Amino acid sequence: MKGFAMLDFGKVGWIEKDRPVPGPYDAIVRPLAVAPCTSDVHTVYEAAFPKEMVEFPRIIGHEAVGEVVEVGDKVEDFKYGDKVVVPAITPEWRTREVQLGIHQHSGGLLAGWKFSNPLRDGGKDGVFAEYFHVNDADMNLAHLPDDIKLESAVMAADMMTTGFHGAELADIQIGETVVVIGIGPVGLMSVAGAKLQGAGRIIAVGGRRKITYDLAREYGASDIVDYTKGPIETQVLELTGGKKVDKVIIAGGGPDIIYEAVKIVRPGGIVANVHYFGSGADAYIKNELKHRDVLYLGRVEWGAGMSHIRIVGGLCPGGRVRMERLLSIIRYKRVDPSKLVTHRFRGLERVEDAFYLMREKPLKLVKPVVFME
Ligand code: NDP
Ligand code: ZN
């Protein structure tokens, strides 16, 4: 079968591989619609993880809706021909980490993320292929209801679950003021998630792509800040009359963005990160360049360590129940994620164009989807 893979850091291309075979609890799925993620771009072009930990070639892509073509003999709820939503995160449910409440890390750090995860330990081939393998199908697939469009469902796989997770990690209470930094597709879903969780004022921080401003307003933002027009801190504090905010969700920015967030959150507030830091900043220690893998925090702004400001970052939740709940949100019209889709392609080979689009981020792009037919 054909797959679109990371061949080396900075290098992608098509490869031929054998079609995967299912274990007793697994399924093989043929994609119906897939979408590239900014995370694929970080993985390929920023060399996010050390080379010795990474496997090449690795088929990329982790957002898919598909059709089951084969199941193992222990699979109960799915059969040949079923249409399914496949979460980006497909944990091993029989692990200690699941009992610890962190299924995203089942079997090790980030190991619940399998598709397109470049790490040799934990990762496997992704969904930009003619077929892909899903572990523990009964626990990791969700049936696609007939009345939900493919392009909406494929947004549940990663964009909704990740964006909403920002709002969950921020533990938003009714009426709180929330800043969402970054309003690409993930940040836009954080805006929607913050609204669902009951936020009062929602301040969205966007940049070059003005198309995201209108969408942010539609999803629930009350105010927009443009990070290209000056420091986020100055602009947010101007809007709030100098008052710091309750919660900040990070869904974009450079290695100093946690520092920017800590500067605007009140004592006891939460900075919730869902951004994938593909690379860090250079660090100078005693005037000597040590390494390039540092994220800044801001010592004084963090109350010299005593601010009670919590900083938390997380990989999106996966699994069947999560997908079923997100499909319910779509079905009952709480949030319409199809508004994120600005570009549509047909045919597996167009995955390449969609991926490059995701790398270039032209001004009219929010999210591309590739339909197989
Ligand atoms: P996009 O690149 O589409 O959006 C990023 C947003 O951040 C845009 O609004 C961009 O503005 C803005 N931005 C860029 N630079 C800055 C800056 N210096 N300060 C403030 N804002 C800035 O990304 P996605 O929405 O697709 O993804 C967001 C992040 O989430 C990525 O890092 C992605 O890898 C990660 N991710 C994490 C997952 C998880 O499980 N935790 C899962 C899926 C994705 P503009 O471009 O308009 O100038
Ligand atoms: Zn992703």
Side-chain angles (χ1 to χ4, degrees):
M1 65 167 200
K2 229 167 48 165
F4 188 64
M6 170 166 74
L7 306 175
D8 199 341
F9 288 137
K11 198 161 175 234
V12 287
W14 292 93
I15 59 168
E16 279 290 336
K17 272 196 112 155
D18 289 340
R19 175 174 146 173
V21 278
Y25 293 96
D26 309 335
I28 305 302
V29 174
R30 171 179 83 84
L32 295 171
V34 298
C37 178
T38 305
S39 298
D40 293 314
V41 176
H42 291 310
T43 300
V44 173
Y45 294 104
E46 292 185 59
F49 298 100
K51 197 160 189 170
E52 61 276 10
M53 291 166 68
V54 171
E55 182 147 307
F56 302 107
R58 175 75 91 216
I59 295 175
I60 57 173
H62 50 258
E63 302 180 19
V65 173
E67 191 173 66
V68 174
V69 294
E70 196 180 345
V71 292
D73 58 9
K74 298 266 196 257
V75 175
E76 293 180 359
D77 296 344
F78 297 90
K79 58 178 190 322
Y80 178 87
D82 284 355
K83 291 203 168 85
V84 289
V85 183
V86 188
I89 305 305
T90 50
E92 299 291 351
W93 291 97
R94 285 172 55 88
T95 52
R96 290 187 75 249
E97 288 81 5
V98 169
Q99 291 193 20
L100 293 170
I102 43 162
H103 69 258
Q104 292 93 326
H105 307 285
S106 64
L109 181 68
L110 302 178
W113 168 31
K114 299 189 178 305
F115 301 124
S116 78
N117 178 338
L119 297 174
R120 195 170 293 130
D121 291 332
K124 70 173 182 188
D125 280 331
V127 303
F128 293 168
E130 288 174 273
Y131 303 95
F132 58 86
H133 170 275
V134 181
N135 59 297
D136 203 344
D138 283 330
M139 291 294 104
N140 282 323
L141 292 175
H143 287 286
L144 173 68
D146 288 339
D147 56 351
I148 295 185
K149 292 184 290 187
L150 289 183
E151 66 183 39
S152 298
V154 78
M155 291 299 109
D158 190 1
M159 298 299 94
M160 287 178 87
T161 184
T162 302
F164 288 5
H165 196 44
E168 290 164 334
L169 290 173
D171 192 19
I172 293 168
Q173 304 297 308
I174 286 177
E176 282 188 328
T177 297
V178 179
V179 172
V180 178
I181 300 180
I183 45 171
V186 170
L188 286 167
M189 287 297 98
S190 291
V191 170
K195 183 180 170 189
L196 283 174
Q197 298 237 140
R201 190 174 198 180
I202 302 175
I203 302 171
V205 181
R208 301 168 304 116
R209 286 176 287 162
K210 308 296 177 216
I211 182 175
T212 60
Y213 295 16
D214 294 337
L215 277 173
R217 285 198 186 87
E218 280 186 51
Y219 282 127
S222 31
D223 307 83
I224 306 285
V225 159
D226 179 348
Y227 75 84
T228 68
K229 295 257 166 71
I232 296 171
E233 179 190 14
T234 317
Q235 297 188 69
V236 168
L237 294 184
E238 206 166 289
L239 282 171
T240 60
K243 231 174 129 195
K244 293 190 177 186
V245 303
D246 298 300
K247 307 288 167 64
V248 180
I249 300 170
I250 299 174
D256 59 349
I257 204 70
I258 295 176
Y259 180 31
E260 297 302 317
V262 167
K263 285 198 268 190
I264 55 174
V265 77
R266 66 165 168 81
I270 297 178
V271 173
N273 177 76
V274 289
H275 184 33
Y276 171 2
F277 290 96
S279 50
D282 294 337
Y284 289 88
I285 300 165
K286 291 187 184 152
N287 295 327
E288 195 185 322
L289 182 63
K290 289 287 184 193
H291 52 79
R292 60 171 275 277
D293 249 354
V294 170
L295 298 175
Y296 290 110
L297 177 54
R299 184 182 63 82
V300 172
E301 291 80 358
W302 202 38
M306 298 173 280
S307 65
H308 286 98
I309 294 170
R310 276 175 284 166
I311 301 170
V312 56
L315 180 63
C316 61
R320 178 175 181 167
V321 170
R322 177 68 165 188
M323 288 303 113
E324 288 171 350
R325 289 183 174 180
L326 297 178
L327 292 169
S328 174
I329 297 250
I330 298 172
R331 201 162 189 199
Y332 295 101
K333 306 198 185 327
R334 305 295 175 206
V335 174
D336 175 4
S338 69
K339 289 184 194 162
L340 299 175
V341 182
T342 49
H343 293 65
R344 293 168 180 81
F345 297 92
R346 294 205 181 270
L348 176 64
E349 65 286 355
R350 301 302 302 281
V351 151
E352 189 167 357
D353 298 317
F355 172 75
Y356 287 129
L357 208 54
M358 210 56 183
R359 182 181 64 169
E360 308 309 333
K361 301 268 159 72
L363 293 179
K364 298 279 179 213
L365 178 87
V366 180
K367 187 84 177 175
V369 169
V370 184
F371 300 93
M372 293 306 111
E373 282 143 24

